[in-house]
Amino acid sequence: MSSRVPSVGLRLPPVGGPAASTVVAPEAVPAPAVRRLAAGLLATTLRGMAALAGLAGLAGLAGLAGLAGLAGLAGLAGLAGPAGAAPAPYKQPSVAIRELLDAPSLPRLIPSPDRQALALVEQRRYTPLEELARPGLRLAGARFDARNASQQNLLAVQRVRLRSLLEPEAAEREVELPAGGTWHNFLWAPDGQRFLLSRRTDTADELWAGATSNGQLWRLYNVRLNNAVDADDIAWLNAREAVVLTVPDDRGAAPSRAQTGPAIQETHGKASPERTYPDLLRNPRDEDLFEHYARSQLTLIDVASGQSRDIGAPGLFTSVSSVGTGQALLTERLVRPFSYNLTFDDFPTVVEVRQRDGKVIRELVKMPLKQGVAIDGALPGPRVFYPSPTKDAAIYWVEALDGGNPATRAAFRDRVMRLDPPYTGDPFEVQRMPYRFTRLRFLDDGIHGLLTEEDRSRGWSRTYLLPLNGKQSRPLFEHSVRERYRHPGYPFMRTLGNGHQVAQTLNGDLLLSGQGSGPKGDRPFLDKLSLKDLSVQRLFQSAEGVYEQPVALFEDRRLLTQRETEHEPPNLVLRENGKVTPLTRLKDPTPQLKGVRRELVSFKRNDGVELSFWMYLPPDLREGEKRPALVWAYPLEFNDAAIAGQLSGSPGRYMSFSGISPLNLLMDGYVVLMDATMPVVGDSRNMNDSFIEQITANARAIVDKAEDLGVVDPRRIAIGGHSYGAFMAVNLMAHTKLFRCGIARSGAYNRTLTPFGFQSERRSLWDAKDVYLKLSPFLFANQIKDPLLLIHGEADNNSGTFPMQSERLYQAMAGLGGTARYVLLPFEAHGYTARESAGQVQWEMSQWLKGCVGDPRAEARPRPAAGSSASQ
């Protein structure tokens, strides 16, 4: 295998146990559960690559001797162990970063729908690795635990406290959660008098109810929720009754059809461009298993009494909604034939309106398998169903008028239809739209809706005020889908007594809430839009230097907001006639971040497009000192250069870092240029033709500006990103010499493996072959001359970013003599949720940066005396 010495000395630390080198790695925390697992982080990867070397045609990988040679060149000899080497223990970052990772998370503040009570819900910050490793099924795009019909990765609830919302000194009522299982999904009943919680055990996903007045819990017996396919779906009929999906009593044992022959697929001349999806069905046995576990029973529950009863026959239900004030039910259920190329969302679906007892009143449509649909197209015929939230109990849906094909010339793309009770007559047309339907929201006046359409060819959105009786609609506002500065805001939503969400009005005017973005950052607002003359009155806007967003508007005009500052966590505030009353006083769990300085920096690239980044400075940065830096970015597409330059974020946002955020590296002394804008501007039909040129111009401007600021050493800058940001980072590594090294997490690097579009690209590989090849850094691996760290979740569930993307790029770089490291995180999906994984990711990024851009604090450390130990 050929060797190459980087232009700057590559000082990479040992990766094996501390005995692998005289330089001792930061504390390694063995995970007992991990030792029981079959795969390690990189040892398994190396073994797999050795086995795949012949297939990949990479002669340099044909033997472990070659791997040892590469490891030695990179200073990673500790990795080149025998094929049977034990999995490496998880690594832990510096003490300062560990303190951030282990800081408690803030509770969620959830006001009740009646705005009288407040729930303080403390959720688990990380998912235990043992939980991620639980056996589960991956079928038709769904991932679930077959034993209890629940989603595999739950956002667990650890503690719930209740108190009066408007009395800051009111006593809190602790909800005593019985021991055992995993509690999750806190949900208020529509009147706020009760609440729901789910508990996953080894055998069931149970449903519990509680009283707001005293916090007492009771279980709804004989209710085993089926969240295998459609998680946590609940249809409130009123404040105490709801319909949920449960496991049928007669489900029995799972089918055990043996695979006795080949799995066969056919196509017969009809184009069907599909994205690349994970977890698809593969054979008849998978079909049987999916049908078995997706089969649900409609169950009517009474949360007050704890009673329940089954209604109607079981089916493969994916959705259940109440219609009106509980007069009827709207259900969607899957039917065969299934597909091996699509997820369950696109399987044939029967939409039915039912009585409250589950009896079918009318089949509204049987939507076919979504096969043969053009990119950016839609199914012909009825699709996207909405039940009315008010007493008229109408049902609305959308129908394509262009056959669902965006390439077809048509004066109108879609129309909205309405069917009234008793649902036996003919539906009537409510509105036609020149562009593709995107959303329907209902106003709380019961007579209007907000209808939104989008012209996807130019990224343009338009919203109408829609009379639900079919009279002529009125345009309210239109804007670019990327618009920030002049965005009118979104409907301010509230919950009705039947559980439906509706857009709130005030004396006949529509309330709109938005980010209030501008050149100085975001300042959230609440506006009142007159539906008579479209005049706008601003009711509230956050002050500069803080971030305060509207939460609820009372009938007497009191306003509930959530307020935060850079070092004060989000707390609820009541505003009344100029008086401001704090309602909660949550404390900052990470006061050490007060030493971090943050600044929004704006500048231009060479063609005048406005760019920006948030510059984060480490607490120990001295005046006049220049530090190595990490640029973290994610590219976005724009039709308009002016909109591309609009800023986002606020200096008033509370400073808090997720477990895998690169901002944690501040605690190791690095400057981080976060959310560096990477606009790609042009016609949406072909803007990717200049993707490489534009991200290069962006990156050059970012590096130049970082040097001008005087706190970054321009010779020691790294580039990084996650998902599409990783794709961007590797392309910059392949096509520029601006960065000393790169970090790419969970990305896609070979666009021929996503042949029917990616991100906003709507052309296929065969329509734009040169573009797909040019944008595939895998094909330019020979040009990646600086070190590249690749991290990927072993169970990535994102379309197009299969772990193979990182694996193949690593193999290419290894075979070509490049310098790379590939870390495969067991059981992790597209985002990483285990504490062990967060620690490993932070350790990997920090050690990688120390190796390629240097340790920011090395010069400040006293050198050890001659003959002393070099361990640290």
Side-chain angles (χ1 to χ4, degrees):
M1 183 176 295
S2 61
S3 63
R4 186 187 71 81
V5 179
S7 55
V8 174
L10 182 63
R11 303 182 303 277
L12 295 179
V15 179
S21 172
T22 57
V23 180
V24 180
E27 179 186 355
V29 178
V34 178
R35 295 196 191 100
R36 299 192 297 268
L37 304 177
L41 287 176
L42 193 55
T44 299
T45 304
L46 293 176
R47 294 195 297 273
M49 288 186 297
L52 287 167
L55 294 177
L58 301 176
L61 286 177
L64 288 176
L67 292 173
L70 175 63
L73 289 174
L76 302 176
L79 281 178
Y90 280 89
K91 303 294 185 181
Q92 286 297 301
S94 64
V95 172
I97 292 181
R98 289 205 303 270
E99 288 176 350
L100 291 182
L101 298 186
D102 295 329
S105 58
L106 292 165
R108 291 181 61 205
L109 304 175
I110 311 177
S112 60
D114 64 351
R115 298 160 186 167
Q116 297 301 309
L118 174 68
L120 295 91
V121 179
E122 298 181 19
Q123 294 177 314
R124 186 174 62 191
R125 185 172 179 185
Y126 302 102
T127 303
L129 199 65
E130 294 90 341
E131 193 168 307
L132 291 178
R134 290 164 65 109
L137 291 177
R138 302 176 185 177
L139 299 169
R143 294 184 174 185
F144 56 91
D145 189 326
R147 296 171 299 175
N148 46 45
S150 71
Q151 300 289 295
Q152 279 191 294
N153 193 359
L154 294 176
L155 194 57
V157 170
Q158 296 179 308
R159 186 185 184 192
V160 178
R161 290 169 288 157
L162 305 172
R163 47 154 272 202
S164 171
L165 171 63
L166 301 178
E167 300 176 30
E169 306 304 325
E172 293 180 351
R173 301 179 291 281
E174 188 83 24
V175 177
E176 298 294 337
L177 302 176
T182 301
W183 293 90
H184 63 101
N185 195 37
F186 176 90
L187 181 68
W188 284 111
D191 63 355
Q193 301 303 303
R194 301 174 189 85
F195 59 91
L196 295 178
L197 272 167
S198 301
R199 181 173 73 165
R200 182 177 69 184
T201 69
D202 286 340
T203 58
D205 200 8
E206 304 166 348
L207 186 61
W208 293 62
T212 305
S213 58
N214 57 20
Q216 181 180 351
L217 280 177
W218 58 92
R219 182 182 170 188
L220 282 79
Y221 285 96
N222 300 319
V223 172
R224 294 185 299 154
L225 297 173
N226 191 348
N227 288 319
V229 173
D230 191 46
D232 304 317
D233 203 14
I234 182 167
W236 290 100
L237 302 176
N238 49 57
R240 62 180 286 169
E241 291 181 304
V243 175
V244 296
L245 301 179
T246 63
V247 176
D249 292 334
D250 64 351
R251 185 164 75 172
S256 56
R257 183 201 303 213
Q259 184 72 16
T260 58
I264 297 172
Q265 301 182 60
E266 291 184 353
T267 182
H268 295 283
K270 183 178 180 181
S272 186
E274 315 293 357
R275 294 292 176 101
T276 51
Y277 299 107
D279 307 332
L280 297 175
L281 300 178
R282 297 164 299 171
N283 51 52
R285 181 177 181 273
D286 281 357
E287 295 186 58
D288 293 347
L289 285 172
F290 176 76
E291 189 169 43
H292 174 80
Y293 287 108
R295 184 169 171 265
S296 296
Q297 173 67 57
L298 298 173
T299 301
L300 177 66
I301 61 171
D302 186 318
V303 298
S305 68
Q307 301 299 308
S308 66
R309 63 183 178 88
D310 294 342
I311 57 175
L316 306 186
F317 293 104
T318 59
S319 174
V320 56
S321 306
S322 64
V323 183
T325 53
Q327 296 103 306
L329 297 172
L330 180 66
T331 62
E332 298 184 13
R333 59 182 176 88
L334 306 178
V335 293
R336 287 179 182 261
F338 301 150
S339 170
Y340 294 178
N341 298 313
L342 298 167
T343 59
F344 71 87
D345 315 71
D346 295 327
F347 287 179
T349 302
V350 176
V351 182
E352 296 159 321
V353 59
R354 298 167 179 262
Q355 297 176 172
R356 284 174 52 112
D357 62 4
K359 182 179 179 181
V360 175
I361 299 173
R362 179 174 177 176
E363 178 182 304
L364 299 178
V365 68
K366 180 180 178 181
M367 294 186 287
L369 183 70
K370 194 176 179 182
Q371 207 164 38
V373 175
I375 296 173
D376 257 353
L379 281 172
R383 71 181 199 279
V384 194
F385 287 75
Y386 289 86
S388 169
T390 54
K391 61 184 179 181
D392 65 8
I395 295 174
Y396 300 84
W397 64 82
V398 181
E399 293 181 359
L401 296 174
D402 59 357
N405 189 346
T408 300
R409 291 184 176 274
F412 297 97
R413 294 282 176 200
D414 282 327
R415 66 176 180 175
V416 176
M417 304 294 292
R418 169 173 171 160
L419 178 66
D420 288 323
Y423 314 113
T424 55
D426 294 329
F428 65 91
E429 183 178 295
V430 177
Q431 171 76 26
R432 291 192 170 204
M433 292 163 284
Y435 301 116
R436 190 66 74 203
F437 167 90
T438 55
R439 186 179 297 113
L440 175 63
R441 290 189 177 103
F442 297 94
L443 272 61
D444 60 5
D445 64 4
I447 58 176
H448 291 100
L450 295 175
L451 178 64
T452 303
E453 64 178 0
E454 181 181 329
D455 179 0
R456 297 180 184 176
S457 65
R458 63 189 187 109
W460 197 257
S461 177
R462 181 184 293 124
T463 297
Y464 302 87
L465 177 67
L466 177 68
L468 298 175
N469 61 7
K471 292 183 179 179
Q472 182 62 40
S473 64
R474 295 175 56 201
L476 289 183
F477 39 76
E478 56 182 302
H479 51 81
S480 166
V481 295
R482 298 286 195 197
E483 178 65 57
R484 295 188 62 84
Y485 288 4
R486 292 174 293 277
H487 197 287
Y490 297 98
F492 200 51
M493 307 300 286
R494 70 181 183 92
T495 303
L496 297 178
N498 58 4
H500 284 278
Q501 290 274 307
V502 292
Q504 185 174 350
T505 58
L506 180 66
N507 299 325
D509 297 331
L510 177 64
L511 296 179
L512 297 170
S513 177
Q515 287 296 312
S517 301
K520 295 183 178 181
D522 297 344
R523 294 177 56 202
F525 66 84
L526 180 66
D527 281 352
K528 185 177 68 167
L529 172 67
S530 170
L531 298 180
K532 295 180 180 178
D533 59 13
L534 302 187
S535 60
V536 177
Q537 178 185 354
R538 181 137 297 179
L539 303 180
F540 166 80
Q541 184 161 24
S542 176
E544 291 187 10
V546 302
Y547 186 84
E548 188 172 356
Q549 52 187 333
V551 175
L553 183 67
F554 293 79
E555 292 182 359
D556 58 6
R557 299 292 186 96
R558 290 179 298 168
L559 179 63
L560 179 68
T561 67
Q562 182 169 277
R563 183 183 187 275
E564 60 191 272
T565 67
E566 188 173 28
H567 298 297
E568 295 177 3
N571 277 289
L572 294 178
V573 169
L574 184 67
R575 292 182 166 272
E576 181 180 12
N577 297 325
K579 180 182 178 182
V580 179
T581 304
L583 299 181
T584 60
R585 296 183 177 87
L586 300 180
K587 302 299 183 183
D588 183 5
T590 53
Q592 62 268 46
L593 292 182
K594 291 182 179 178
V596 172
R597 287 165 287 170
R598 175 175 63 187
E599 179 184 349
L600 178 61
V601 178
S602 302
F603 51 101
K604 294 182 180 181
R605 74 183 189 192
N606 56 8
D607 61 356
V609 174
E610 294 277 355
L611 303 178
S612 66
F613 54 67
W614 285 91
M615 180 173 67
Y616 286 77
L617 303 180
D620 63 345
L621 180 69
R622 299 186 299 270
E623 186 71 27
E625 184 183 10
K626 292 186 177 183
R627 291 278 182 96
L630 172 65
V631 175
W632 200 262
Y634 189 97
L636 291 174
E637 300 86 353
F638 297 87
N639 295 100
D640 187 333
I643 293 175
Q646 294 179 353
L647 304 179
S648 64
S650 167
R653 294 306 301 260
Y654 171 62
M655 194 178 294
S656 177
F657 308 154
S658 74
I660 63 172
S661 170
L663 290 172
N664 289 284
L665 297 170
L666 291 162
M667 309 312 289
D668 281 354
Y670 292 97
V671 173
V672 179
L673 307 182
M674 192 69 181
D675 295 328
T677 53
M678 280 279 173
V680 180
V681 184
D683 189 315
S684 61
R685 294 170 295 184
N686 55 21
M687 67 173 60
N688 278 331
D689 292 4
S690 60
F691 180 91
I692 299 298
E693 291 78 7
Q694 293 203 50
I695 65 169
T696 298
N698 297 333
R700 183 170 290 110
I702 289 168
V703 171
D704 290 345
K705 186 62 179 181
E707 182 177 10
D708 292 344
L709 293 171
V711 294
V712 172
D713 182 346
R715 300 168 302 170
R716 297 191 293 164
I717 301 179
I719 183 69
H722 190 98
S723 193
Y724 205 53
F727 165 73
M728 168 215 71
V730 179
N731 267 304
L732 287 171
M733 294 287 292
H735 297 287
T736 77
K737 298 297 294 179
L738 295 169
F739 302 101
R740 298 300 292 273
C741 59
I743 300 174
R745 302 189 327 209
S746 298
Y749 314 112
N750 184 347
R751 284 301 166 196
T752 68
L753 300 179
T754 58
F756 290 108
F758 56 90
Q759 209 71 2
S760 66
E761 179 59 64
R762 297 299 180 257
R763 296 169 295 182
S764 76
L765 167 64
W766 297 272
D767 295 328
K769 186 178 297 183
D770 290 345
V771 174
Y772 274 71
L773 298 180
K774 182 180 177 181
L775 268 59
S776 295
F778 171 81
L779 301 179
F780 297 90
N782 60 315
Q783 296 179 189
I784 302 177
K785 300 301 184 182
D786 294 298
L788 177 61
L789 171 63
L790 296 164
I791 302 176
H792 220 115
E794 178 190 49
D796 195 320
N797 58 342
N798 186 54
S799 173
T801 56
F802 299 159
M804 180 179 67
Q805 292 272 4
S806 290
E807 178 183 316
R808 291 291 192 264
L809 178 58
Y810 175 82
Q811 291 171 349
M813 291 189 65
L816 293 164
T819 300
R821 177 172 168 84
Y822 174 33
V823 180
L824 188 65
L825 299 171
F827 312 113
E828 293 288 6
H830 194 58
Y832 322 137
T833 60
R835 170 61 179 83
E836 295 89 339
S837 301
Q840 183 78 34
V841 166
Q842 294 300 335
W843 184 86
E844 294 286 352
M845 294 195 298
S846 180
Q847 297 299 306
W848 196 253
L849 292 181
K850 288 175 184 175
C852 62
V853 298
D855 186 339
R857 296 165 176 159
E859 296 179 3
R861 293 178 182 156
R863 294 180 179 273
S868 66
S869 171
S871 64
Q872 56 183 358

